[in-house]
Each structure stands twice: as C-alpha cells, then as structure tokens.
Amino acid sequence: IGNLLILGSGIGLEAVALCRPNQVSENIVVTDIQPRALAYSAVNVFLNCAPPYDNYKFSVFDWRTSSDLCNQTYDLVIGAALQFEDPQAWPSPYHLEHLLDQCLSQNEYARVMLAHSLYDNLILNLFDTDASSEEVSSTECSYDESRYQSPFYILERISGDNFGMFARHSTTSEFTISVLARRRRNKQ
C-alpha cells in the first residue's frame, strides 16, 4: 500500500491491523473528529506496533467540513461508521464523495473501504452497484444533482457475517464493508 488515509479511526483498529510486517504503508494518516479517540488510536499503535512510527501521522480532522488532508492522494481510504453524527449537519449529501474524489489516487487499483451499518442511507444512496457503467464523463463529476453520477461504484460488499460480527446473539450481522472503485473518466 502506498499512502493510506483512515477517516474516523476510533480506537485505531485499522491502524494497528496495518502495522504488521509486510503490510506497512509508506504513509498512514490516521484521523478522527474526536481528539480523545485519536489519542486512543495513537496509544494503540504505540502499544501494538513495532517502531519506527515515523510513517504514522495522527490528525484531528472533520471530513464533513474540510478537505485539508487532500493535498496528497491516497491509494487506500478506510472509513468506519461515518454517519454517527447527524447527516443534516453536512454541507451537502455529496460532500463525502467529493472528499474521496479529491483524496483518492487516480491509480486504477486505488480503493475506498467503508464499514457501515446495513441501514446507513448515506452509503446506500450515494454509491451504486452498477459496475456496467464503469466509465463516467469528466463533466458528470461536477456534483450537479440534476445530472449527477457518482465518480465511484460499489465494487464489492462484504457482510459482517464473514467476520462473525453480530450485534445480538443468534442474528445476522448489521454491518457491511463497501469496497468502492473509481469509475474511469472519459476525456471529452
């Protein structure tokens, strides 16, 4: 993995999982809107990962209102439970897509992985699973709702059942991981 961005790190499980030998990224930017959660992330990395730590950067970041971290691009963006806050507080329902469009590398293998509730309307409504239209014209990414087509499509959905993660005993999982790929842009 080249550059990695983690949105909503919580206690830092993703950052710890990626610090294992031969899985280290060149640059891991770990973010959370809550300073306390970010502190837990940093402590977990320092307790569970072997040095050096210089490829980790920890930053308080509110993805709903800023795109400051997108002055570089990332080969993998991981986000978890990004809809904890009230979605009405977001500047636009398309802000997450716009942020991802700015931050994700143009590399054809670059991916976004979003862990979310099965009932998370933000993810379900913004991204489609129509892989047949892998291409999008450059003008269609202008975030004009009347002719909007997302610059991403859902490449795969991975059920939490695959990980034995259940919210209640004897039920199916209530979360999924959506793997997003960038649509190819036509030059027009």
Side-chain angles (χ1 to χ4, degrees):
I1 302 173
N3 292 325
L4 168 67
L5 173 63
I6 300 173
L7 299 172
S9 67
I11 62 170
L13 294 178
E14 303 93 339
V16 169
L18 291 163
C19 73
R20 299 295 172 228
N22 301 323
Q23 293 181 352
V24 176
S25 173
E26 294 170 17
N27 181 30
I28 301 173
V29 178
V30 182
T31 71
D32 201 286
I33 190 173
Q34 297 295 330
R36 181 176 287 177
L38 197 62
Y40 288 136
S41 292
V43 167
N44 274 324
V45 165
F46 296 132
L47 288 176
N48 295 291
C49 300
Y53 305 110
D54 54 349
N55 61 327
Y56 282 90
K57 176 183 177 197
F58 297 90
S59 181
V60 174
F61 178 68
D62 184 352
W63 64 269
R64 300 168 304 168
T65 60
S66 179
S67 58
D68 293 344
L69 294 175
C70 297
N71 53 1
Q72 70 176 33
T73 59
Y74 301 90
D75 301 303
L76 178 61
V77 177
I78 298 174
L82 297 178
Q83 195 173 345
F84 272 154
E85 293 83 17
D86 178 11
Q88 302 305 320
W90 300 340
S92 156
Y94 303 105
H95 185 75
L96 177 60
E97 282 185 313
H98 184 66
L99 175 77
L100 295 174
D101 196 29
Q102 287 181 308
C103 288
L104 193 67
S105 164
Q106 294 294 326
N107 172 342
E108 69 178 291
Y109 300 107
R111 296 289 183 262
V112 176
M113 296 177 71
L114 300 175
H116 58 91
S117 160
L118 289 175
Y119 314 108
D120 187 339
N121 290 331
L122 170 71
I123 305 301
L124 298 175
N125 292 338
L126 285 180
F127 305 111
D128 64 49
T129 55
D130 183 10
S132 65
S133 77
E134 280 189 30
E135 291 191 4
V136 63
S137 71
S138 296
T139 59
E140 289 180 273
C141 291
S142 63
Y143 304 97
D144 174 0
E145 288 185 51
S146 65
R147 54 186 184 74
Y148 180 77
Q149 182 179 16
S150 172
F152 301 98
Y153 67 96
I154 297 175
L155 181 65
E156 182 178 4
R157 286 186 197 251
I158 305 167
S159 170
D161 292 345
N162 295 348
F163 306 101
M165 303 286 287
F166 308 107
R168 290 176 285 286
H169 182 66
S170 300
T171 64
T172 59
S173 175
E174 293 181 2
F175 85 93
T176 189
I177 297 172
S178 293
V179 179
L180 308 179
R182 183 185 291 283
R183 294 182 197 276
R184 289 187 293 271
R185 290 191 172 148
N186 293 335
K187 305 281 191 244
Q188 292 187 348

